[in-house]
Amino acid sequence: MAKMEAHGKREDESSQRRRVRDAEPLVVGGLDLRDLRAEWMDGVKQQGNTAALHALVQYPTGLIDGATKDQQERMLKHAVRFMNEFHGGDAVFAARLDRDEKGRHAVDVFMMPRHEFRYKDGRTQKRAAVSKHTKAEAQRRYGQQDRRAQGSALQDAWFEYMRDEMNLDVLPPEKKKATAKDRVEPEELALRKDRQKLQNNARKLLRADQLARKRNQEQAARNAAEANRLAEQRSEAAPALAAAEELAKRQGDSQGAERLKGLRERLKRSQGHSTAVRAPRTAPIAQKASLAVDAAFKAIEGDER
């Protein structure tokens, strides 16, 4: 109780680490848990040695925004009402919703369920027992009273309350296959989330790198194919340019012969370059060579006629 009280008053280290804003908590009863518990248990006979029950009532973050004070007060009120009714109607002596932490969807509820015990002679006595009502509910729902059945009964009842009393579109709780404890501290949960985020980012970067490599390989293949195509065009154009040049000389067209000679030399120089020739730079040469070849063929046909 002392540790829980110090945490609620923000007097411990973990509560200081979790603070992200200056906002006072919403409380029922107060923050002096030991005094409240003592007052609650005054004149009550306790069965067992448990100081109190501490329940963390978690709301679904996707269904309640939780950013406004009205929503927070509503969550606090319903958490207290549910826990009180589930534990017999006389159970809660304090509750708190922390508003200075990153998450504002959990309510801490502190309880010591009380009930009226009646002797055979008609006398009554106020008693307190932490598991009396949870065992009865587990027996009613599942026909057994072990701790797992008690936890399942509480989860199912909370689901039904949110669905029926709060009109939230909640999904039924999934039954745990393992019995190991799954409650972790917020700091550990934050570390797990950060670790998962880093792993997800690493996967995204790896996928992006793989896609980039694939695109580069595909582009290299296209460049190689284009270079081969241009090389074939040059190899076909060179003899035609030479024939057209000779024909122009025989016809006395010195200017045409010089132009064809210049094209042939340029084509020859380009053939000495690496095969990885970019299409935009070689395309004009190939186009001129193609035009020269077409002109050469036309000249040859006219000479044969």
Side-chain angles (χ1 to χ4, degrees), residues 92-107:
V92 177
F93 63 84
R96 185 186 74 249
L97 188 151
D98 294 320
R99 301 195 298 154
D100 57 352
E101 299 180 2
K102 183 177 181 180
R104 290 177 287 188
H105 289 78
V107 179

mmCIF file of all heavy atoms in Angstrom, residues 92-107:
data_model
loop_
_atom_site.group_PDB
_atom_site.id
_atom_site.type_symbol
_atom_site.label_atom_id
_atom_site.label_comp_id
_atom_site.label_asym_id
_atom_site.label_seq_id
_atom_site.Cartn_x
_atom_site.Cartn_y
_atom_site.Cartn_z
ATOM 1 N N VAL A 92 -15.133 -0.660 -3.439
ATOM 2 C CA VAL A 92 -14.139 0.350 -3.822
ATOM 3 C C VAL A 92 -14.017 1.425 -2.742
ATOM 4 O O VAL A 92 -15.015 2.020 -2.328
ATOM 5 C CB VAL A 92 -14.520 0.999 -5.170
ATOM 6 C CG1 VAL A 92 -13.517 2.092 -5.533
ATOM 7 C CG2 VAL A 92 -14.591 -0.051 -6.264
ATOM 8 N N PHE A 93 -12.778 1.652 -2.311
ATOM 9 C CA PHE A 93 -12.558 2.761 -1.367
ATOM 10 C C PHE A 93 -11.705 3.884 -1.969
ATOM 11 O O PHE A 93 -11.590 4.958 -1.381
ATOM 12 C CB PHE A 93 -11.936 2.269 -0.053
ATOM 13 C CG PHE A 93 -10.562 1.650 -0.181
ATOM 14 C CD1 PHE A 93 -9.419 2.432 -0.204
ATOM 15 C CD2 PHE A 93 -10.417 0.275 -0.272
ATOM 16 C CE1 PHE A 93 -8.155 1.869 -0.301
ATOM 17 C CE2 PHE A 93 -9.161 -0.307 -0.367
ATOM 18 C CZ PHE A 93 -8.016 0.489 -0.385
ATOM 19 N N ALA A 94 -11.121 3.645 -3.160
ATOM 20 C CA ALA A 94 -10.350 4.707 -3.834
ATOM 21 C C ALA A 94 -10.152 4.325 -5.296
ATOM 22 O O ALA A 94 -10.146 3.138 -5.659
ATOM 23 C CB ALA A 94 -8.990 4.913 -3.162
ATOM 24 N N ALA A 95 -9.995 5.351 -6.113
ATOM 25 C CA ALA A 95 -9.705 5.130 -7.533
ATOM 26 C C ALA A 95 -9.006 6.374 -8.074
ATOM 27 O O ALA A 95 -9.178 7.482 -7.550
ATOM 28 C CB ALA A 95 -10.972 4.831 -8.323
ATOM 29 N N ARG A 96 -8.236 6.157 -9.143
ATOM 30 C CA ARG A 96 -7.448 7.277 -9.684
ATOM 31 C C ARG A 96 -7.236 7.096 -11.183
ATOM 32 O O ARG A 96 -6.934 5.995 -11.656
ATOM 33 C CB ARG A 96 -6.084 7.323 -8.987
ATOM 34 C CG ARG A 96 -5.214 8.518 -9.369
ATOM 35 C CD ARG A 96 -3.831 8.422 -8.766
ATOM 36 N NE ARG A 96 -2.987 7.429 -9.443
ATOM 37 C CZ ARG A 96 -2.590 6.287 -8.914
ATOM 38 N NH1 ARG A 96 -2.955 5.955 -7.674
ATOM 39 N NH2 ARG A 96 -1.828 5.448 -9.586
ATOM 40 N N LEU A 97 -7.389 8.179 -11.929
ATOM 41 C CA LEU A 97 -7.037 8.205 -13.347
ATOM 42 C C LEU A 97 -5.925 9.231 -13.524
ATOM 43 O O LEU A 97 -6.138 10.429 -13.323
ATOM 44 C CB LEU A 97 -8.251 8.564 -14.218
ATOM 45 C CG LEU A 97 -8.053 8.432 -15.736
ATOM 46 C CD1 LEU A 97 -9.391 8.099 -16.420
ATOM 47 C CD2 LEU A 97 -7.474 9.701 -16.362
ATOM 48 N N ASP A 98 -4.738 8.757 -13.867
ATOM 49 C CA ASP A 98 -3.588 9.655 -14.043
ATOM 50 C C ASP A 98 -3.679 10.376 -15.377
ATOM 51 O O ASP A 98 -3.884 9.753 -16.420
ATOM 52 C CB ASP A 98 -2.287 8.849 -13.966
ATOM 53 C CG ASP A 98 -2.051 8.273 -12.587
ATOM 54 O OD1 ASP A 98 -2.333 8.977 -11.599
ATOM 55 O OD2 ASP A 98 -1.590 7.117 -12.490
ATOM 56 N N ARG A 99 -3.498 11.685 -15.337
ATOM 57 C CA ARG A 99 -3.601 12.495 -16.561
ATOM 58 C C ARG A 99 -2.277 13.104 -16.986
ATOM 59 O O ARG A 99 -2.222 13.846 -17.958
ATOM 60 C CB ARG A 99 -4.629 13.609 -16.354
ATOM 61 C CG ARG A 99 -6.033 13.080 -16.006
ATOM 62 C CD ARG A 99 -7.065 14.147 -16.157
ATOM 63 N NE ARG A 99 -6.814 15.262 -15.239
ATOM 64 C CZ ARG A 99 -7.223 16.521 -15.463
ATOM 65 N NH1 ARG A 99 -7.857 16.809 -16.582
ATOM 66 N NH2 ARG A 99 -6.981 17.458 -14.570
ATOM 67 N N ASP A 100 -1.211 12.818 -16.238
ATOM 68 C CA ASP A 100 0.092 13.387 -16.579
ATOM 69 C C ASP A 100 0.959 12.418 -17.375
ATOM 70 O O ASP A 100 2.075 12.760 -17.763
ATOM 71 C CB ASP A 100 0.838 13.816 -15.314
ATOM 72 C CG ASP A 100 1.030 12.671 -14.332
ATOM 73 O OD1 ASP A 100 0.450 11.587 -14.560
ATOM 74 O OD2 ASP A 100 1.748 12.862 -13.328
ATOM 75 N N GLU A 101 0.451 11.212 -17.636
ATOM 76 C CA GLU A 101 1.205 10.231 -18.400
ATOM 77 C C GLU A 101 0.775 10.251 -19.867
ATOM 78 O O GLU A 101 -0.246 10.861 -20.222
ATOM 79 C CB GLU A 101 0.993 8.823 -17.823
ATOM 80 C CG GLU A 101 1.473 8.690 -16.382
ATOM 81 C CD GLU A 101 1.259 7.283 -15.840
ATOM 82 O OE1 GLU A 101 0.782 6.415 -16.602
ATOM 83 O OE2 GLU A 101 1.575 7.055 -14.661
ATOM 84 N N LYS A 102 1.529 9.579 -20.703
ATOM 85 C CA LYS A 102 1.217 9.539 -22.131
ATOM 86 C C LYS A 102 -0.124 8.870 -22.376
ATOM 87 O O LYS A 102 -0.946 9.346 -23.157
ATOM 88 C CB LYS A 102 2.320 8.777 -22.877
ATOM 89 C CG LYS A 102 2.119 8.741 -24.388
ATOM 90 C CD LYS A 102 3.282 8.037 -25.065
ATOM 91 C CE LYS A 102 3.093 8.022 -26.578
ATOM 92 N NZ LYS A 102 4.211 7.331 -27.260
ATOM 93 N N GLY A 103 -0.358 7.736 -21.706
ATOM 94 C CA GLY A 103 -1.632 7.052 -21.832
ATOM 95 C C GLY A 103 -2.619 7.531 -20.786
ATOM 96 O O GLY A 103 -2.276 7.681 -19.613
ATOM 97 N N ARG A 104 -3.869 7.786 -21.210
ATOM 98 C CA ARG A 104 -4.898 8.261 -20.288
ATOM 99 C C ARG A 104 -6.159 7.398 -20.412
ATOM 100 O O ARG A 104 -7.277 7.911 -20.384
ATOM 101 C CB ARG A 104 -5.208 9.734 -20.575
ATOM 102 C CG ARG A 104 -4.079 10.675 -20.201
ATOM 103 C CD ARG A 104 -4.363 12.110 -20.561
ATOM 104 N NE ARG A 104 -4.288 12.331 -21.995
ATOM 105 C CZ ARG A 104 -4.351 13.533 -22.573
ATOM 106 N NH1 ARG A 104 -4.482 14.605 -21.816
ATOM 107 N NH2 ARG A 104 -4.276 13.662 -23.872
ATOM 108 N N HIS A 105 -5.938 6.097 -20.591
ATOM 109 C CA HIS A 105 -7.066 5.182 -20.777
ATOM 110 C C HIS A 105 -7.106 4.097 -19.708
ATOM 111 O O HIS A 105 -7.769 3.072 -19.895
ATOM 112 C CB HIS A 105 -6.996 4.533 -22.158
ATOM 113 C CG HIS A 105 -7.293 5.476 -23.285
ATOM 114 N ND1 HIS A 105 -6.368 6.388 -23.747
ATOM 115 C CD2 HIS A 105 -8.416 5.663 -24.027
ATOM 116 C CE1 HIS A 105 -6.907 7.089 -24.727
ATOM 117 N NE2 HIS A 105 -8.145 6.667 -24.917
ATOM 118 N N ALA A 106 -6.406 4.284 -18.606
ATOM 119 C CA ALA A 106 -6.374 3.284 -17.538
ATOM 120 C C ALA A 106 -6.769 3.927 -16.211
ATOM 121 O O ALA A 106 -6.372 5.054 -15.906
ATOM 122 C CB ALA A 106 -4.991 2.662 -17.433
ATOM 123 N N VAL A 107 -7.538 3.186 -15.431
ATOM 124 C CA VAL A 107 -7.987 3.657 -14.124
ATOM 125 C C VAL A 107 -7.499 2.679 -13.061
ATOM 126 O O VAL A 107 -7.722 1.465 -13.176
ATOM 127 C CB VAL A 107 -9.525 3.768 -14.056
ATOM 128 C CG1 VAL A 107 -9.966 4.237 -12.675
ATOM 129 C CG2 VAL A 107 -10.040 4.716 -15.132
#
